[in-house]
Amino acid sequence: MTAVAVLTGLCCLLLALPLAVTAVRQRALAAMALRNVGRRRTEAALVVGGALLGTAIITSAFVVGDVIDGAVADEARTRYGPIDLTVTSPDRDAFELATAIVRDTARDGKLGAADRGGVDWLLDVTVTTATIEAPAHDTALPRVEVVALDLAEARTFGGEATDTGLADAGDLGPGEVLVSAVTAARLHLETGDRLLVHVADTTTEVSVAEVLEEVGLAGYGGVIVAPGTLPDAAAAAEGAARVRHQLLVSLAGGVFDTREAAVDTSETLRTALAGLPDVRVDAPKAAVLDVAEQEGAGFTELFGTIGAFSVMAGILLLVNLFTMLAEERRTELGMLRALGFTRRRLTRTFALEGLLYALPAAVLGTGLGLGIGWLVAVVSGPLLGVAADGARYPLVVEPASLATGAALGLLVSLVTVWLASTRIARLNIVRAIRDLPEPSRRRQGRRTLAVSGVAVVGGVALSVAGAVGQAGAALLLGVPIAAYTATPWLRRLVSGRRMRLAVGVLVLGWALGVVPLFPDVMTFDDPIVFVLQGVVSTAGAVSLVGGLDRVWAGLIARIGRGNGLAARLGVAYPLARPMRTSLLLGMFAMVVFTVTILSTVSVTFDHNSDTMATDVAVGADVLLDSAPGSGVDAATLTTRDDIAGIAEVTRGIATFTADHLDATRAWTVTGIDAALLDRGVPAALASRDPAYPSDAAAYQATLDDPTLAVVPDGFLAGAGATSAVVVGSTFAALDPATGAPHELTVVGVGNTDWLGTGVLVGQPLAAELTAGAETGVRSYVEVAGGADPAAVAASLNRTYLAAGADATPIAALVDEAMGQLRGLFAMLQGYLGLGLLIGTAGLGVVMVRAVRERRQGIAMLRAMGASSRLVRTAMLVEAGLTVVQGTVIGVLLGLATAQQLLGVLDQDLTLTVPWVGLAVIVAVPLVASLAATAWPAARAAAIRQAVALRTAE
Amino acid sequence: MNDVGPQRTHTDTPVPPQPILRARGVIKTYHAGTQEVPALRGIDLDVHVGELVTVMGPSGNGKTTLLNCLSGLDNIDAGTVTVDGADLFAMSDAKRTRHRATRMSFVFQAFNLIPVLSAAENVELPLLITGVPHKAARKRAHDVLGRVGLGDRADHRPGELSGGEQQRVTVARALVGEPALIWADEPTGALDSRTAGDIIELLLEVHAAGQTLVIVTHDEGLGRTGQRLVQVRDGRIVHDGDPRTAPAASELVPVAAVTVTATSAEVVL
Ligand SMILES: Nc1ncnc2c1ncn2[C@@H]1O[C@H](COP(=O)(O)OP(=O)(O)OP(=O)(O)O)[C@@H](O)[C@H]1O
Ligand SMILES: [Mg+2]
């Protein structure tokens, strides 16, 4: 990130430095540029406004990532604080042996010196998973971690009392407990409330001494008790693995400083403890920080990808603005050339003016991006539950993020400015002074032809290389590059209109056809391919529409009322300026394209939610999670007459590595067995190894062979990226005791993991990979005919409250997950609204400038007797037509791409057209743009012909 | 241009009782900041059907203002202007606009063609504005372009035509709606003398075909060949009638200078 910032910063400097030198050396030029900017304040403000939106979007994508990272990482403070490592065992003897070994190893200095990330403090605790019931409030919470510790010792743990969260906690009397704020909130607890703690068959009555803010140890468990508070329960349930003895290890350094040391030390400890069975070493805080970074990066990527379309729209707007600015200045610049300005000097004069817009735009855009990014994170974070409940979303932003955003935004503006300036400096002096249009050159210079020839060959080669080398981006881009660079040659053969048509058909056809043609290469794994496909198809469609200009003109003339004068005038300018019109169309199409895809995918998912629930339900209706040995077992459950059938699996957390990851990652793993497969497959597969004739066969193989696994969509990938693990990929699960990798090969990839089953492997392997960690039993419950799943779930929860059962209808689980997804889509669409803002504002600016440009023409129309209404209508038709064309292109391409995308995501999904959404997508930009054009149109209508006819200005 | 008429003929149309344009006591004062610029100080003028009136006078003496005010393009401060029987400033702007669309047309120094429309499309505009169906308008446009000698350039855009040709297009545009009155403000001002001669020729032919014209010009030749010359000085009409009895342009210059001095003296006081 820092490297990107420095690099783009350098590029900016390279582009801006010559201008700064010019400004200092030739004050007159600088003064002229300044005066030009100052002469039209409102319009200057509009140009800056248009330019800053791009910067704002780029910056906000980085800021979202940073804030999400910060929010998730905050869990390190609220849930772990001084805790860096945990050494856990359900077995008392093994644990005591392990503790002795850890103490020895630490004393020998093998774990680093105390002042350099070495072991600093040790704390002995017992963690019991219990169900907490609050009779006074009629509330209960299953699977709460009850931590038994010595308060006095705990306060000193880590050396900084405030980090433990226990500094102000008073001593506990007999039968008194401390409750964390989140647990208290869920149970509606207050100080003094009586609680029932259920562990296995025992129940202990305690009272709430204090509710503590979640910080460090106070957030580590839901309830803190003094050792011995749950003596009988612990003894009774020890065999059932509900009680874990744990040694908490704090390393030297602050809460957030020990990430690397923790990973290193955990390795050393694992080796030292390798001989002991059932002892597990974890570095939970480092894992949280890893996840935080991944989540943050995922969000940056997601919003960056989606934002790229808006940024692209911003670039098109900028190009448009500067070209208009340049055209408007033609006579003036021509005069300067006549007075003896060299081309270079002219370029610089004009670019200097551009710099005066670009600089404030970069600064303001970065500020705006900061605000937008934070807002997006604050809204979407809790919506998606990325961070722990009640997590704060502080505005923590890496300076590098802001620098990168500002530098990228500035670079885009500067490049645009230089290109526009260089182009304008090539003007023909005489034509410019007399304000005659530059003739379209049919004959191209030899150099142009040679360059274009090379580019055509290069483009084709790029596509071929992409197809061979499985590089989607190269494959996609090559052909369009060849098509567009071939235009100087094509121009010799056919008219400009035919050429645009031909190129448009070719590029659009390619963009839409490349996915079905090369399904193996175009997998959309890389989001950049998705962005590029949007850009290429939009470019193709816009060229095509440009080539059809005659058709539009004819159509409009026919539709228009009476002799269609307003419509005729409305299309005259767009048709006469194909380049400008294309830029505007592209601007709208690009954004609408993305909004359409999001809306279509979202609606399609919604529409298919029933099928999706069925796909993962294994014929069951209710999911029942409980602890092993809690007494909630199949044998007991099947005796109930509201339950028709049941299948059990065990679930736990395991640690994984893969070649594409630089750190290990924790993921849920579920063990499947023959009984489950008898009922059906736990998840329909989106893709599977062709060696297996059916999904069931692939699952059976996984059950038989401990080196095979089925993974869900998005396994081992960040939040924003699509799955990086495909059929045939290999990854490794780490043995919890020894850390030794266990190689696994993917035989099938499922769809979205609605129920959180994670990686599916055979039951014995799952048990091995989750040994020592808390595991759960999951029962797929099929309710008896006629029974209501929700009622059955409620009844199960009541009956097995003490045993910590948690039953939910599967449809409700899928719905909830779907709701989050819908939230994300809504969020992304809102974010894209920024792009529409660019489009709308851009069109407004363009129309304002258009009025200025056409002042005399409009005045003449009025002199000829055209009513002010006619003038206004013509302007509105012009704007409306541009928007409608742009949005229709965007909607059609969006639907086509959504279809392809859904096919890649999940073959079973049938595209649902979001009619209401589409109506909004078309209507909003249209209404907004008409509103934005209303002012310039009114200005046009109010032009005083007598004044306007006198002077060009 | 052949169908306009082979050569100039004398039109001895008897003067009709109702003039097509009647202006009485027209006063127009510009306000530039705190300063007042009296541009028209009481104009009385009648123009009859079929007349060719040339308006001349030193620069800055109010010729353009006169044209703008008498055609209703600009508002006046006092007086009345009647065109074709209708009092221009007694009606709403919308009505005045409609009246203008059917009764008057203009030719300006800067050709004021719409750059993105072809010659024919530019010429047909006045017809479309008054609601003539498109097909009929296009046919008329082609006819008139033929009359001004541009029949073969109908599909060219203004940028593809020379200055003289562009001005022919504007003349065609002024003729196409068969207006009662054509106003021209220095129609030859942006052209070289030869091309200017061609345009004058064209305008005279148009007049010969019976069209009423009021032309503001600096061109002595055109002024003196016209039927009636109006000379404007310091916002007033100082001569109206036979061009031959009008004072020479050179005689007017010192007077203008005196006026300027007088105005500055007023300001000082
Ligand atoms: N908008 C305006 N504001 C202030 N003064 C104006 C304005 N327009 C014209 N004038 C002044 O009114 C006077 C008459 O101007 P007008 O354009 O009618 O002169 P003209 O005779 O057409 O000159 P020329 O032969 O140079 O075209 C001039 O003194 C001019 O400066
Ligand atoms: Mg004038």
Side-chain angles (χ1 to χ4, degrees):
Chain A
M1 171 95 82
T2 320
V4 176
V6 170
L7 210 69
T8 27
L10 273 179
C11 289
C12 289
L13 211 63
L14 224 61
L15 290 174
L17 208 61
L19 299 182
V21 170
T22 312
V24 173
R25 284 240 205 98
Q26 292 167 328
R27 296 276 164 78
L29 285 191
M32 201 160 77
L34 256 177
R35 214 159 299 157
N36 266 329
V37 173
R39 201 165 53 166
R40 293 173 194 153
R41 301 265 163 81
T42 329
E43 281 172 51
L46 287 173
V47 174
V48 171
L52 74 80
L53 284 171
T55 311
I57 289 165
I58 299 174
T59 309
S60 67
F62 288 118
V63 173
V64 173
D66 281 355
V67 175
I68 295 280
D69 183 349
V72 178
D74 198 43
E75 216 176 298
R77 180 183 67 84
T78 58
R79 290 201 46 205
Y80 298 100
I83 307 170
D84 290 306
L85 303 174
T86 58
V87 179
T88 317
S89 177
D91 181 72
R92 170 113 242 153
D93 300 332
F95 177 72
E96 260 152 28
L97 258 173
T99 307
I101 293 172
V102 173
R103 284 185 197 282
D104 279 351
T105 323
R107 203 173 27 245
D108 294 350
K110 282 195 192 129
L111 295 176
D115 57 339
R116 279 184 290 112
V119 170
D120 213 8
W121 304 86
L122 298 172
L123 181 67
D124 230 328
V125 302
T126 310
V127 182
T128 308
T129 309
T131 298
I132 309 287
E133 190 184 352
H137 305 285
D138 200 19
T139 52
L141 203 59
R143 289 186 311 221
V144 177
E145 311 260 283
V146 180
V147 181
L149 47 70
D150 180 289
L151 260 185
E153 208 184 319
R155 279 192 202 103
T156 63
F157 181 64
E160 187 62 63
T162 47
D163 285 349
T164 65
L166 300 173
D168 304 326
D171 284 325
L172 293 175
E176 280 189 337
V177 300
L178 299 169
V179 180
S180 79
V182 170
T183 311
R186 286 193 188 150
L187 289 165
H188 311 301
L189 298 183
E190 285 159 35
T191 306
D193 279 346
R194 306 204 64 73
L195 296 180
L196 299 178
V197 181
H198 304 281
V199 182
D201 299 333
T202 68
T203 299
T204 314
E205 196 172 317
V206 295
S207 70
V208 178
E210 221 171 305
V211 173
L212 297 178
E213 197 198 334
E214 315 243 307
V215 174
L217 288 166
Y220 186 55
V223 174
I224 291 174
V225 299
T229 311
L230 310 173
D232 299 328
E238 194 150 351
R242 305 214 72 189
V243 177
R244 283 141 9 249
H245 303 285
Q246 207 163 52
L247 183 68
L248 305 183
V249 181
S250 178
L251 303 179
V255 172
F256 291 95
D257 309 332
T258 51
R259 187 157 153 202
E260 266 105 64
V263 173
D264 292 347
T265 313
S266 69
E267 299 288 324
T268 319
L269 282 182
R270 251 182 226 130
T271 321
L273 300 173
L276 295 172
D278 283 350
V279 173
R280 184 184 171 102
V281 180
D282 292 294
K285 198 163 77 186
V288 162
L289 294 174
D290 280 351
V291 169
E293 207 169 78
Q294 283 151 9
E295 288 279 349
F299 269 80
T300 296
E301 183 175 301
L302 180 62
F303 281 88
T305 305
I306 295 295
F309 289 93
S310 300
V311 171
M312 219 77 77
I315 293 176
L316 294 185
L317 170 62
L318 214 59
V319 173
N320 217 334
L321 286 177
F322 279 111
T323 336
M324 284 187 95
L325 208 64
E327 265 171 41
E328 209 181 279
R329 243 3 104 58
R330 263 179 88 226
T331 342
E332 195 182 312
L333 295 176
M335 267 325 282
L336 290 178
R337 280 283 279 143
L339 289 177
F341 264 51
T342 58
R343 290 225 157 112
R344 221 167 79 123
R345 213 157 143 203
L346 201 62
T347 307
R348 290 194 176 178
T349 313
F350 191 64
L352 200 60
E353 193 181 327
L355 185 68
L356 291 179
Y357 294 116
L359 276 179
V363 173
L364 294 174
T366 309
L368 184 64
L370 186 72
I372 293 170
W374 189 42
L375 197 73
V376 166
V378 168
V379 174
S380 61
L383 196 74
L384 299 171
V386 281
D389 267 4
R392 290 181 297 183
Y393 286 81
L395 185 51
V396 277
V397 175
E398 300 271 337
S401 295
L402 295 186
T404 313
L408 280 173
L410 187 61
L411 187 63
V412 166
S413 312
L414 284 178
V415 169
T416 312
V417 166
W418 269 109
L419 289 180
S421 312
T422 316
R423 224 185 74 130
I424 193 69
R426 283 167 52 186
L427 49 75
N428 174 301
I429 302 178
V430 177
R431 269 196 295 267
I433 294 175
R434 295 183 55 197
D435 203 20
L436 300 176
E438 297 285 325
S440 63
R441 279 192 300 159
R442 275 185 78 91
R443 296 248 139 209
Q444 304 290 331
R446 246 191 245 165
R447 223 175 65 179
T448 317
L449 284 176
V451 170
S452 103
V454 171
V456 170
V457 173
V460 172
L462 187 66
S463 268
V464 172
V468 173
Q470 302 274 303
L475 173 65
L476 180 64
L477 278 184
V479 169
I481 288 177
Y484 281 111
T485 51
T487 51
W489 288 91
L490 289 174
R491 198 161 276 185
R492 310 189 116 203
L493 305 171
V494 293
S495 73
R497 177 174 302 112
R498 291 244 174 87
M499 184 189 72
R500 276 199 293 276
L501 260 176
V503 170
V505 167
L506 178 66
V507 172
L508 182 61
W510 175 252
L512 295 179
V514 68
V515 176
L517 279 176
F518 299 90
D520 299 340
V521 185
M522 299 298 297
T523 52
F524 292 107
D525 279 348
D526 190 346
I528 199 77
V529 175
F530 171 63
V531 175
L532 289 177
Q533 210 218 5
V535 172
V536 170
S537 54
T538 310
V542 168
S543 304
L544 184 61
V545 168
L548 292 172
D549 56 358
R550 284 253 169 104
V551 178
W552 303 128
L555 216 64
I556 287 298
R558 205 147 302 164
I559 293 169
R561 262 188 306 156
N563 53 31
L565 181 56
R568 262 166 215 286
L569 288 173
V571 292
Y573 280 92
L575 292 186
R577 310 228 192 288
M579 192 61 209
R580 261 194 219 179
T581 311
S582 301
L583 289 173
L584 281 176
L585 287 187
M587 196 163 80
F588 276 96
M590 203 92 79
V591 178
V592 169
F593 166 81
T594 329
V595 180
T596 304
I597 291 179
L598 286 175
S599 151
T600 308
V601 171
S602 173
V603 168
T604 301
F605 269 45
D606 250 10
H607 203 76
N608 288 276
S609 85
D610 288 347
T611 343
M612 289 176 173
T614 321
D615 274 355
V616 293
V618 205
D621 309 290
V622 173
L623 214 53
L624 172 64
D625 282 320
S626 59
S630 61
V632 189
D633 53 39
T636 338
L637 289 170
T638 37
T639 59
R640 289 173 60 116
D641 49 10
D642 56 356
I643 290 178
I646 196 157
E648 276 183 356
V649 293
T650 56
R651 225 161 58 109
I653 307 277
T655 312
F656 297 92
T657 61
D659 286 343
H660 69 274
L661 297 178
D662 33 353
T664 60
R665 295 191 67 177
W667 211 278
T668 302
V669 59
T670 298
I672 54 174
D673 58 13
L676 179 79
L677 292 189
D678 280 349
R679 299 188 57 86
V681 295
L685 298 181
S687 58
R688 69 166 180 264
D689 190 328
Y692 305 104
S694 66
D695 287 359
Y699 277 105
Q700 187 59 49
T702 310
L703 187 57
D704 298 340
D705 183 345
T707 66
L708 303 182
V710 170
V711 301
D713 181 40
F715 175 60
L716 294 188
T722 37
S723 171
V725 173
V726 294
V727 168
S729 299
T730 58
F731 61 98
L734 299 186
D735 186 291
T738 62
H742 177 98
E743 279 272 321
L744 286 163
T745 304
V746 177
V747 292
V749 178
N751 296 312
T752 310
D753 189 7
W754 303 111
L755 305 181
T757 44
V759 184
L760 295 157
V761 295
Q763 166 60 35
L765 178 60
E768 214 175 287
L769 296 178
T770 57
E774 196 215 345
T775 54
V777 176
R778 169 167 278 190
S779 311
Y780 288 87
V781 178
E782 183 189 347
V783 304
D788 172 23
V792 175
S795 154
L796 285 171
N797 278 335
R798 253 194 321 277
T799 315
Y800 297 105
L801 169 72
D806 186 4
T808 322
I810 290 176
L813 284 171
V814 173
D815 265 359
E816 189 189 326
M818 199 79 85
Q820 286 191 354
L821 199 69
R822 217 179 1 241
L824 176 67
F825 280 123
M827 189 69 224
L828 287 172
Q829 290 186 34
Y831 188 68
L832 269 172
L834 282 176
L836 279 184
L837 193 68
I838 293 185
T840 309
L843 192 67
V845 177
V846 169
M847 293 314 266
V848 167
R849 300 200 145 259
V851 172
R852 180 178 299 288
E853 242 178 36
R854 304 177 201 166
R855 227 164 145 258
Q856 280 204 322
I858 294 169
M860 192 59 215
L861 272 177
R862 296 277 286 127
M864 285 188 284
S867 65
S868 52
R869 220 181 83 191
L870 175 74
V871 171
R872 198 165 40 225
T873 314
M875 299 283 292
L876 290 174
V877 166
E878 185 174 336
L881 196 74
T882 307
V883 179
V884 167
Q885 281 192 347
T887 39
V888 168
I889 292 174
V891 163
L892 293 180
L893 291 180
L895 285 175
T897 307
Q899 170 80 54
Q900 297 184 341
L901 204 64
L902 287 168
V904 172
L905 282 179
D906 183 349
Q907 253 110 38
D908 300 334
L909 291 175
T910 41
L911 179 122
T912 313
V913 178
W915 293 111
V916 179
L918 291 187
V920 174
I921 291 170
V922 175
V924 167
L926 181 61
V927 171
S929 304
L930 290 183
T933 314
W935 181 63
R939 262 182 45 165
I943 282 178
R944 304 248 319 273
Q945 54 267 47
V947 180
L949 286 168
R950 264 177 199 274
T951 50
E953 177 61 11
Chain B
M1 72 175 84
N2 307 350
D3 20 1
V4 175
Q7 73 244 88
R8 203 147 47 84
T9 52
H10 266 288
T11 43
D12 298 39
T13 353
V15 175
Q18 258 296 320
I20 192 152
L21 170 90
R22 160 163 291 179
R24 286 292 173 270
V26 174
I27 293 177
K28 172 77 181 177
T29 308
Y30 290 112
H31 302 269
T34 54
Q35 205 173 336
E36 293 199 341
V37 184
L40 299 181
R41 299 172 184 251
I43 297 289
D44 298 327
L45 186 68
D46 287 345
V47 176
H48 298 276
V49 169
E51 268 190 307
L52 168 61
V53 180
T54 48
V55 181
M56 294 188 75
S59 181
N61 273 241
K63 302 183 298 296
T64 299
T65 309
L66 180 140
L67 184 149
N68 285 346
C69 289
L70 267 48
S71 64
L73 285 180
D74 209 348
N75 285 318
I76 59 175
D77 297 319
T80 55
V81 180
T82 318
V83 173
D84 223 11
D87 185 343
L88 283 187
F89 298 101
M91 42 183 157
S92 70
D93 180 69
K95 223 166 166 193
R96 188 157 67 235
T97 303
R98 236 170 295 139
H99 180 70
R100 191 163 62 229
T102 50
R103 309 309 300 148
M104 290 181 259
S105 62
F106 299 85
V107 176
F108 293 108
Q109 174 177 354
F111 321 123
N112 290 312
L113 292 169
I114 295 183
V116 298
L117 298 180
S118 68
E121 285 169 332
N122 265 292
V123 172
E124 73 191 7
L125 270 177
L127 296 177
L128 294 179
I129 288 171
T130 53
V132 175
H134 184 250
K135 276 224 177 84
R138 180 56 62 92
K139 196 177 166 304
R140 273 290 290 150
H142 276 283
D143 288 351
V144 181
L145 276 171
R147 258 179 81 187
V148 301
L150 286 175
D152 50 344
R153 309 296 297 272
D155 290 332
H156 289 224
R157 293 226 175 117
E160 296 157 343
L161 300 172
S162 75
E165 287 164 341
Q166 287 187 49
Q167 198 60 309
R168 278 171 190 280
V169 175
T170 60
V171 172
R173 183 175 66 185
L175 286 173
V176 77
E178 297 173 340
L181 179 56
I182 295 180
W183 300 95
D185 191 357
E186 296 182 34
T188 59
L191 304 172
D192 64 78
S193 56
R194 250 199 67 184
T195 322
D198 286 351
I199 292 294
I200 290 169
E201 196 78 8
L202 176 63
L203 289 171
L204 291 176
E205 282 165 13
V206 165
H207 168 241
Q211 177 68 53
T212 316
L213 286 147
V214 178
I215 305 177
V216 172
T217 185
H218 281 293
D219 190 304
E220 287 279 330
L222 176 59
R224 300 281 165 188
T225 48
Q227 179 189 47
R228 178 177 165 201
L229 173 65
V230 170
Q231 281 183 315
V232 178
R233 205 171 53 193
D234 194 19
R236 287 197 180 88
I237 294 178
V238 293
H239 171 90
D240 182 357
D242 194 332
R244 281 161 299 199
T245 62
S250 50
E251 295 169 40
L252 294 166
V253 180
V255 186
V258 170
T259 316
V260 171
T261 325
T263 320
S264 1
E266 276 167 31
V267 172
V268 173
L269 288 171

